[in-house]
Amino acid sequence: MDKKHTHPDDFIFTDDLHDCGSPQFCFYCLHLVCLGGSASFKLGHKVYQVGKDDVIIRSSAQPMKDIVCDADFRMKGVIISRHYLNVTTPNSAYRVTGMISTILNPVFHVSDADVQRCLRDIDEIYQRYLCTEHLFSAEILKRLVQVMVFDFYDMHQRSTGKDLEHSGQAGIILRQFINLIHNGGCRTNRTVEYYADKLCITPNYLNEVCHKVSDYNALAWINLFTSLEIAQQLEDKSIPLNQIADEFNFSSPAYFSRYVKRLLGVTPSEFRKQIS
């Protein structure tokens, strides 16, 4: 499939897994289908193996690293900007619950029928993306993206069998916690104590809940969503770095730079150079 940019650069269609390791896609969501061969990559602190009929959804800002593909590896996928997805699916349960689920399980195996459904979804988006003369092309494209998102989420839930809706009180607390982070809280507050107080529980209990449901502690979730927010701001080169540091309530640009390097592996300036 030819690679193509659009709207501008809201969509990248690709058949090369190495495209997904580009720093410029830290603030994009990846929907990929493996058609043959095998590959591996590192996401956060975990290494994932993928093979035929595996699907990858990367919805976090964690960069995909150490990508290795064998000679027979084939895939097809679409990389969509988080801004476009947020506009397209503003009230969807997938926005938070689905994001958490796919962060916990980014790779999952599906049936041959589901693989064909994935490919049809991606191809229909690609064909409509090319058809710009239609009066309602933008609206149709949004609807097709919605269909794909719900199809992939449906397959994910059936494959992994994991849903926060069935995780009891712990799942409810984790979802409430991440809602607070996701809805702008991480821009000014990045301590476990702050969110525990908002949820009327102790910091230790919040960490216990996070570990029980996700194997991540509370600070890891805070850093995960903060990195996504910061990456989105860094992508807009018209915003001065000092301004971003102020908006995220950092005491100094130097501290902001150290924080970004710890989360994204590069300084803010280096990040912008890499996406040039």
Side-chain angles (χ1 to χ4, degrees), residues 109-128:
H109 194 74
V110 299
S111 66
D112 290 340
D114 282 337
V115 168
Q116 294 307 311
R117 185 148 57 106
C118 292
L119 295 177
R120 283 196 301 272
D121 285 345
I122 294 170
D123 189 59
E124 285 177 358
I125 291 171
Y126 182 66
Q127 295 303 325
R128 280 294 179 174

Side-chain angles (χ1 to χ4, degrees), residues 133-273:
E133 70 274 8
H134 195 291
L135 182 61
F136 301 103
S137 60
E139 286 76 11
I140 292 172
L141 190 59
K142 287 180 181 179
R143 300 301 180 271
L144 290 174
V145 169
Q146 287 178 340
V147 169
M148 184 196 74
V149 165
F150 287 124
D151 277 348
F152 272 69
Y153 183 43
D154 168 69
M155 287 178 250
H156 184 275
Q157 295 301 88
R158 284 190 285 108
S159 175
T160 64
K162 296 180 180 180
D163 192 329
L164 289 183
E165 300 297 334
H166 301 97
S167 299
Q169 184 64 23
I172 293 172
I173 292 173
L174 178 62
R175 192 166 60 252
Q176 291 173 337
F177 168 50
I178 291 179
N179 263 313
L180 289 171
I181 306 170
H182 185 58
N183 291 330
C186 63
R187 281 177 169 261
T188 52
N189 299 284
R190 289 177 291 277
T191 66
V192 176
E193 290 76 13
Y194 171 83
Y195 294 100
D197 182 65
K198 286 289 184 181
L199 294 167
C200 301
I201 58 178
T202 67
N204 284 342
Y205 184 61
L206 179 55
N207 271 317
E208 287 177 14
V209 164
C210 290
H211 272 298
K212 178 180 179 181
V213 180
S214 72
D215 293 330
Y216 288 87
N217 63 28
L219 186 59
W221 281 109
I222 294 169
N223 288 338
L224 195 63
F225 281 88
T226 302
S227 64
L228 179 59
E229 290 281 337
I230 289 175
Q232 287 178 319
Q233 292 296 303
L234 290 174
E235 190 258 351
D236 186 348
K237 295 183 180 181
S238 68
I239 306 176
L241 296 181
N242 287 353
Q243 181 179 327
I244 298 174
D246 288 341
E247 289 177 358
F248 280 82
N249 202 30
F250 285 95
S251 57
S252 70
Y255 178 40
F256 172 62
S257 182
R258 290 195 300 272
Y259 184 85
V260 171
K261 184 164 186 177
R262 180 163 58 85
L263 290 188
L264 300 179
V266 291
T267 66
S269 298
E270 291 169 342
F271 184 91
R272 284 186 163 174
K273 288 179 182 177

